[in-house]
């Protein structure tokens, strides 16, 4: 009970345990049938027990009951294990699902395996009562599949890992300069050309090393439907990101007319093979607007999420300053400068999405030049953007790079693979506070939650993603879920003790996490240049 991650709101121990046997049944009411199917499948493969499903609990030994409970919030749950069996109640199916995740933890690390290690072993759930609910409604993970493509099976695996940690928003970064990863039927060259690059920079952009072979891939629309459905079964919302107007060279390489053709020869551009901020941005033309409206029409059919992310970050304005077309647009609209031109671009899609019942969210650069009326902000350049947005009445997701960019290095030592950014240890992430103290209670209500970001420039495969994500994602999940005290008062030593058991769960799940003692020999990348930043990160 003491090894649960994230920590529950309250847990009261009893005496004794519920024993699961081949006679135990898994019972659910109609509203929780989906959770029962998921839990039954997970436990049957791990335990070898039949766990027959039914509607009504009976007197069979060690039964598990799932049902809605009055007076509980949508994601709130109550788990009771006593002489009559195990009961999980939630205010909604999502609450029951999170309670089922806790039940799986209570059964021990082997409950995460895909086949039983010993079909004769005993499976016990200790007698206890747990009452629990999340602190934030947005508990997110952003995965960048544009820089290094992750095949569909890897994405599904990360949805399972998110669910195991009670994270509920998957921010799917699908497009960038280095690759376009989603099939758009009306624009086939986006994947025919834009999903592959000829070679890839190895390490930081200043590194002299290259991998001289093509890299790429994309998800078909059926792949996307499968990913979205798989996530929904785990009560995870998938928020797609289609980057505009910067980070768009892959799209311009596929359709050169999207770029600033009066400034650069866009016919000569290819999918970008290195990292950093790219100068080739979309032209602010009606053709570009119509093109991306067509893209988003297909995106909306695939993703039912409330929010659609349009990027908006790191958009250099030099081409617009030199472009007669862009300058004419500024004059036509009566705008002050190029920042307001980007604000107009963002506002167009904010309105376009709102008419279709969706909401725009973008990185905090969309604040520059004026924030679109209905837009929400992902605050990545520290807290300042989020504070400004919340004070202006806009919803915010806090994901400051100084705290929750998991591509940043985990230790200062020379053995850390491809060191990027500031040192962000497990303890640093555990002491991250998403709500800035400068906000009033009314302003703080605009903080929807928080998100950890996995940018994959230096993560060439799933094992590298695992290494950067874990164990820090477990600490982040507790920050996002649990009602923790102020950062300085948090019991990190207690969290470390609970992680002792959690590492065994990660082992059972096959996660290639960074061990507490440092990287294993095969996890190192000697000789690959990174970009370490020394000293404590600015807390702005």
């Amino acid at each position: 009970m003491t090894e649960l991650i994230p920590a529950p709101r309250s847990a009261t121990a009893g005496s004794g345990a519920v024993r699961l046997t081949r006679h135990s049944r898994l019972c659910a009411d109609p509203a929780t049938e989906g959770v029962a199917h998921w839990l039954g499948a997970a436990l049957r493969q791990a335990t070898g027990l039949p766990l027959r499903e039914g509607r009504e609990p009976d007197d069979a030994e060690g039964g598990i009951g799932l049902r809605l409970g009055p007076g509980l919030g949508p994601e709130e749950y109550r788990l009771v294990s006593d002489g009559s069996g195990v009961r999980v109640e939630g205010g909604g199916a999502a609450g029951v699902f999170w309670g089922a995740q806790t039940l799986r933890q209570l059964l021990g690390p082997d409950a995460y395996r895909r086949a039983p290690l010993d079909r004769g072993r005993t499976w016990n759930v200790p007698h206890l009562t747990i009452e629990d609910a999340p602190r934030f409604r947005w508990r997110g993970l952003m995965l960048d599949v544009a820089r290094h493509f992750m095949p569909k099976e890897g994405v599904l695996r990360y949805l399972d890992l998110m669910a195991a940690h009670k994270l509920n928003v998957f921010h799917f970064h699908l497009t960038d300069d280095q690759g376009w990863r989603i099939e758009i039927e009306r624009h086939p060259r986006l994947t025919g050309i834009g999903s592959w690059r000829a070679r890839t920079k190895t390490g930081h952009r200043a590194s002299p090393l290259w991998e001289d072979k093509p890299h790429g891939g994309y998800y078909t629309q059926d792949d996307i439907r499968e990913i979205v459905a798989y996530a929904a079964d785990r009560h995870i919302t998938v928020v797609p990101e289609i980057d505009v107007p910067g980070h768009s060279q892959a799209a311009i390489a596929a359709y050169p007319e999207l770029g600033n053709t009066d400034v650069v020869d866009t016919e000569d551009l290819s999918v970008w093979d290195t990292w950093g901020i790219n100068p080739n941005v979309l032209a602010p033309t009606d053709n570009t607007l119509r093109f991306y409206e067509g893209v988003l029409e297909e995106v909306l059919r695939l993703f039912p999420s409330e929010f659609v992310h349009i990027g908006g970050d790191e958009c250099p304005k030099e081409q617009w300053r030199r472009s007669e077309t862009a300058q004419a647009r500024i004059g036509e609209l009566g705008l002050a400068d190029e920042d307001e031109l980007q604000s107009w671009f963002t506002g167009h899609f904010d309105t376009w999405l709102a008419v279709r019942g969706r909401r725009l969210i973008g990185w905090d650069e969309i604040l520059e030049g004026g924030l679109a009326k209905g837009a929400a902000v992902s605050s990545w350049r520290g807290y300042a953007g989020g504070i400004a947005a919340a004070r202006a009445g806009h919803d915010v997701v806090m994901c400051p790079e100084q705290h929750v960019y998991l591509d940043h290095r985990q230790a200062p030592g020379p053995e850390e693979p491809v060191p990027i950014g500031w040192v962000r240890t497990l303890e640093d992430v555990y002491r991250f506070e998403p709500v800035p103290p400068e906000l009033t209670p009314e302003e703080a209500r605009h903080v929807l939650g928080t998100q950890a970001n996995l940018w994959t420039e230096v993560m060439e495969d799933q094992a590298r993603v695992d290494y950067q994500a874990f164990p820090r994602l477990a600490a982040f999940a507790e920050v996002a879920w649990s009602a923790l005290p102020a950062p300085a008062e948090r019991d990190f030593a207690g969290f470390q003790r609970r992680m002792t058991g959690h590492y065994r769960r990660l082992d059972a799940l096959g996660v290639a996490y960074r061990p507490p003692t440092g990287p294993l020999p095969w996890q190192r990348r000697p000789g690959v240049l990174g970009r370490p930043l020394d000293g404590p990160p600015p807390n702005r």
Side-chain angles (χ1 to χ4, degrees), residues 453-464:
N453 293 341
L454 279 166
W455 300 104
T456 62
E457 287 93 335
V458 299
M459 301 180 215
E460 71 277 9
D461 56 30
Q462 179 177 283
R464 280 288 291 126

Side-chain angles (χ1 to χ4, degrees), residues 2 24 98 129 132 137 153 263 297 306 316 371 414-415 540:
T2 59
S24 300
W98 304 130
T129 299
D132 202 7
R137 59 171 275 204
E153 288 303 317
V263 175
E297 282 177 5
E306 175 187 2
L371 186 59
E415 294 180 340
R540 64 182 190 274

Side-chain angles (χ1 to χ4, degrees), residues 282-360:
L282 297 174
T285 64
D286 289 343
N287 175 67
T288 300
L289 297 180
R290 301 293 89 76
F291 183 96
Y292 275 89
E293 287 170 0
V295 168
L296 289 172
E297 282 177 5
E298 296 191 28
V299 167
L300 295 190
R301 289 200 294 268
L302 295 168
F303 296 92
S305 56
E306 175 187 2
F307 288 96
V308 174
H309 208 291
I310 55 85
D313 62 316
E314 297 178 330
C315 178
K317 306 299 194 298
E318 180 57 30
Q319 288 186 1
W320 287 354
R321 293 187 186 97
R322 295 163 50 206
S323 166
E324 292 182 5
T325 300
Q327 292 302 311
R329 178 68 87 176
I330 288 173
E332 168 195 332
L333 296 169
L335 304 176
D337 55 21
E338 291 76 19
D339 285 341
E340 286 196 5
L341 183 60
Q342 181 173 349
S343 179
W344 164 81
F345 200 101
T346 302
H348 174 86
F349 287 105
D350 177 64
T351 301
W352 189 91
L353 288 167
V355 167
R356 290 156 181 80
R358 306 297 185 94
R359 294 183 65 189
L360 180 147

